[in-house]
Amino acid sequence: MAGKGGGRPVVGVDLGGTKIMAGVVAADNRILGRGKRNTPAKEGGPAILGTMLECVDEALDQAGLARKDVVAGGIGSPGPLDVDAGVILYSANLNVKDYPIGPELSAALGVPVRVNNDVRVGGYGEYVLGAGRGYSDVLSAFVGTGIGGCLILGGKIVAGATNNAGEIGHVVVKAGGPRCGCGSKGCMEAFASKTAIANRLVKASKKRDCPLGEKIQRKGRLKSGDLAQAVREKDPIAVREVERAAFYLGVGLGGLVNVLGPQVVVIGGGVTQALGQPFLDMIESSARAQIITDPQKLIKFAPAALGDDAGVLGASLFAREMIAGG
Ligand SMILES: [Zn+2]
């Protein structure tokens, strides 16, 4: 349970493909200090560890604490991982292979460190401290560069027989649809991730006037804020692409709700944060169109509540539970 573990602070780290964020978190789950750096994504494991330690020290500094004051650490990392050994087995985004990030951070800080899948860590944070608080059955979806998910049933993360369950982004929502990064076709991620939306906008800009598509080409990527601004300004192509993404997210989530019966569907991630409630409403309406298991509309659709802190807080919860559970 959160709150146990001797009352001393722990460190939570959110290791992302573009940013590393660290937080020093008190026993009452308040973040006492924060650190943030760009991920040295091309330089390999030791560079990532070094930057991670800078983030941790910055967070400790802000909290007025030192490394000796914390009792455990947690890391949310992209994977695949060997969770028990604390090893990142492989990550194309981080240019890392078989790197023992958990043991390395543990050695540097002198405390035990627990590593877990980044999406699961964020979903667990939302479950305990955010939009899933008070529920026991929570389906979380995070829409950003990709689409990640975390399923909690009966208060437990569902990891499946292979420990890889929860990959909601790769539910096929249209057989034979667009090619997905995973090699399959028609996955939810291939329709509704920021990457998918950006590809469509760039394509559109080659046929007609599409300022956002041109901007993506200039910047080399789509910023969620730019997408939201184009929608606010009623750019017809951006509006259409966002509606399309919401529709397919709803198709995927509606099917999952029919099978799993969560009490709440929590939707977060950078794209969702930027587009806000209208985007959530479109997703819910598309999902409801096919949900047959909830005639009384008891199942809630809720925006994620922790924003960028979900990863840091979730990682800190895993750290605290590790020392509490022994
Ligand atoms: Zn896929």
Side-chain angles (χ1 to χ4, degrees), residues 142-211:
F142 297 95
V143 186
T145 310
I147 297 178
C150 174
L151 175 64
I152 288 165
L153 290 178
K156 292 228 161 15
I157 293 177
V158 176
T162 63
N163 200 31
N164 296 320
E167 288 283 358
I168 64 165
H170 304 283
V171 169
V172 173
V173 290
K174 187 176 181 184
R179 176 76 64 186
C180 181
C182 74
S184 186
K185 279 182 174 179
C187 297
M188 193 154 79
E189 184 167 299
F191 282 99
S193 66
K194 197 164 71 170
T195 314
I197 296 170
N199 287 342
R200 298 261 310 172
L201 287 164
V202 168
K203 225 180 214 174
S205 73
K206 290 182 176 151
K207 287 191 206 143
R208 71 195 86 163
D209 188 35
C210 176

Side-chain angles (χ1 to χ4, degrees), residues 33-316:
R34 298 164 196 272
K36 186 172 166 180
R37 294 273 190 287
N38 289 330
T39 308
K42 295 192 172 71
E43 295 163 39
I48 287 170
L49 174 71
T51 304
M52 189 178 283
L53 280 166
E54 285 174 25
C55 290
V56 169
D57 286 335
E58 185 181 327
L60 284 165
D61 214 38
Q62 211 182 81
L65 298 169
R67 289 186 186 183
K68 63 174 172 43
D69 297 317
V70 296
V71 287
I75 302 172
S77 169
L81 309 168
D82 179 338
V83 167
D84 292 330
V87 172
I88 304 173
L89 295 176
Y90 172 77
S91 170
N93 287 339
L94 297 180
N95 187 24
V96 160
K97 198 167 181 297
D98 293 326
Y99 187 71
I101 189 76
E104 292 287 347
L105 185 67
S106 173
L109 297 180
V111 296
V113 170
R114 177 116 179 117
V115 183
N116 217 320
N117 169 284
D118 52 356
V119 181
R120 233 172 247 174
V121 162
Y124 194 65
E126 285 290 340
Y127 159 61
V128 177
L129 300 170
R133 193 174 187 159
Y135 298 102
S136 57
D137 304 315
V138 181
L139 175 63
S140 299
F142 297 95
V143 186
T145 310
I147 297 178
C150 174
L151 175 64
I152 288 165
L153 290 178
K156 292 228 161 15
I157 293 177
V158 176
T162 63
N163 200 31
N164 296 320
E167 288 283 358
I168 64 165
H170 304 283
V171 169
V172 173
V173 290
K174 187 176 181 184
R179 176 76 64 186
C180 181
C182 74
S184 186
K185 279 182 174 179
C187 297
M188 193 154 79
E189 184 167 299
F191 282 99
S193 66
K194 197 164 71 170
T195 314
I197 296 170
N199 287 342
R200 298 261 310 172
L201 287 164
V202 168
K203 225 180 214 174
S205 73
K206 290 182 176 151
K207 287 191 206 143
R208 71 195 86 163
D209 188 35
C210 176
L212 184 54
E214 284 153 26
K215 197 171 192 179
I216 296 165
Q217 283 171 286
R218 276 202 310 277
K219 286 191 176 177
R221 67 189 197 100
L222 170 62
K223 285 188 149 184
S224 298
D226 290 342
L227 179 63
Q229 193 188 346
V231 169
R232 275 198 304 275
E233 289 167 358
K234 303 203 165 40
D235 171 337
I237 301 174
V239 168
R240 190 191 63 201
E241 290 310 323
V242 164
E243 285 173 355
R244 183 174 185 269
F247 171 77
Y248 282 109
L249 277 166
V251 169
L253 291 173
L256 289 168
V257 165
N258 279 335
V259 176
L260 303 165
Q263 295 160 303
V264 60
V265 180
V266 175
I267 306 174
V271 171
T272 313
Q273 260 187 68
L275 293 170
Q277 194 61 43
F279 186 58
L280 281 156
D281 290 343
M282 284 190 279
I283 297 169
E284 177 171 355
S285 126
S286 164
R288 292 249 181 244
Q290 60 159 330
I291 293 175
I292 59 166
T293 51
D294 183 27
Q296 293 176 281
K297 297 199 173 166
L298 299 174
I299 297 171
K300 304 264 187 300
F301 283 71
L306 302 179
D308 285 348
D309 287 340
V312 162
L313 286 171
S316 79

